[in-house]
Amino acid sequence: MGLTPYKIAGLLKQRGYRMTLQRRAVLDAIARTEEYLSPASIYEKVARKNPGIGLVTVYRTLEILADLGLLCKVHTGGNCRGYLMSRPSEHHHHVVCSGCGRVVDFTDCVLDELEKKLSRGTGFKLENHLLEFVGRCPDCQKPSPVPVAAQQ
Amino acid sequence: MGLTPYKIAGLLKQRGYRMTLQRRAVLDAIARTEEYLSPASIYEKVARKNPGIGLVTVYRTLEILADLGLLCKVHTGGNCRGYLMSRPSEHHHHVVCSGCGRVVDFTDCVLDELEKKLSRGTGFKLENHLLEFVGRCPDCQKPSPVPVAAQQ
DNA sequence: CTTGTAATTGAAAACATATTTCATTTACAG
DNA sequence: CTGTAAATGAAATATGTTTTCAATTACAAG
């Protein structure tokens, strides 16, 4: 499986960033979570164990992690600002649970053929794409779902 | 082609909504535009011809239009709050220009097979998906691009 | 063409979210 | 240890969206 918080610590240092208690806490919170999280919920999670940490620090840490390519964004959940630790570092997409926010990755992206066709058809020079599936995870399909965590 | 502002006026009435000058203006602004627009840029566009209109009214109108399924959202542009008049009413996706925001629709969505596979593989009951391509439209590929309009 | 009324509007305030500023603290190289 | 550049937190600011409420308006019914 992917990057442990420990490995990431090294990565940060390599890039000239320092490893602080606060960054460690943010990393831990995201890494140990299967759902995507909003900045506010990351802050909440982190502040529970580290009272005194500033929301600003969470935002700044998120910016750095995103910059290093360690975070994925989830759009299909409400506010388009859901963050998630990047599991596979190669090209991948997400299946997101509309109940609990849990995210599963998949790497078999079948869009190459369509992309070529669209490029020919529209004249666009395609650079990127966004693909997410939304549905109910097995747990949330049960009568009394036991969600990983209530997602706003 | 799709829905004219005129037809939409009828649709609004059918649903118990009234047709006001302000809603008309918002509809016109969106319908005559090829790019996706943010609430703020819609307001700006509308206010140019209708000074005195409130930004609140734009938000409320957008909510109604979205509720009626007449608007599409664009995520790939900066803020995930880009709105666009829904052209084909059937299932479709977008190709978005990263230069000018122009949007082209396509209806051949090739995700059925992948969806089935993912559903089997993950146990998720899939409900929906989000697919957008981003690239440069022919105009914006030119040395001195002549974008439809500068996007925020 | 009136008239009554419920829907709609705009201004201001409230709320939510995100970023900047700056003095203080801290990680860590030397 | 120590010096210093990086990082932090509080407060202020900025940006985006929603709520509240009195005044206005669309339009159905007479």
Side-chain angles (χ1 to χ4, degrees), chain A residues 47-73:
Chain A
R48 226 175 284 145
K49 296 199 173 180
N50 305 62
I53 194 175
L55 178 56
V56 216
T57 299
V58 172
Y59 275 105
R60 283 190 280 228
T61 303
L62 289 175
E63 196 183 334
I64 290 173
L65 296 179
D67 188 51
L68 296 183
L70 297 174
L71 291 185
C72 295
K73 260 191 190 178

Side-chain angles (χ1 to χ4, degrees), chain B residues 12-95:
Chain B
L12 273 175
K13 275 187 194 164
Q14 273 177 37
R15 299 282 203 105
Y17 291 113
R18 294 179 177 173
M19 176 49 61
T20 64
L21 279 175
Q22 292 89 339
R23 286 180 184 164
R24 180 93 211 182
V26 170
L27 276 168
D28 280 354
I30 306 180
R32 72 171 66 252
T33 303
E34 273 188 65
E35 322 105 68
Y36 66 88
L37 299 167
S38 66
S41 61
I42 293 170
Y43 169 69
E44 205 185 330
K45 239 177 200 299
V46 171
R48 226 174 283 144
K49 294 197 173 179
N50 305 61
I53 195 175
L55 177 57
V56 214
T57 300
V58 171
Y59 274 103
R60 283 190 282 229
T61 303
L62 290 175
E63 196 182 334
I64 291 173
L65 295 179
D67 187 52
L68 295 183
L70 296 174
L71 291 186
C72 295
K73 260 193 192 178
V74 171
H75 287 257
T76 41
N79 60 1
C80 292
R81 196 118 186 190
Y83 289 106
L84 188 77
M85 194 65 76
S86 187
R87 271 86 61 107
S89 52
E90 76 254 53
H91 183 81
H92 70 282
H93 295 287
H94 297 138
V95 185

Side-chain angles (χ1 to χ4, degrees), chain A residues 76-150:
Chain A
T76 41
N79 60 3
C80 292
R81 193 114 188 193
Y83 288 106
L84 187 77
M85 195 64 77
S86 187
R87 271 87 59 107
S89 53
E90 77 254 51
H91 183 82
H92 70 282
H93 297 287
H94 297 138
V95 185
V96 184
C97 176
S98 56
C100 64
R102 195 182 306 179
V103 177
V104 174
D105 305 315
F106 66 93
T107 52
D108 44 347
C109 172
V110 297
L111 297 173
D112 280 2
E113 203 50 49
L114 176 58
E115 179 165 328
K116 274 179 210 149
K117 189 174 159 189
L118 285 173
S119 196
R120 276 196 306 269
T122 63
F124 273 57
K125 186 175 218 160
L126 295 178
E127 296 160 340
N128 208 345
H129 59 256
L130 172 60
L131 172 62
E132 284 179 26
F133 285 88
V134 201
R136 289 252 146 190
C137 75
D139 280 356
C140 289
Q141 286 172 48
K142 292 174 189 165
S144 252
V146 185
V148 173

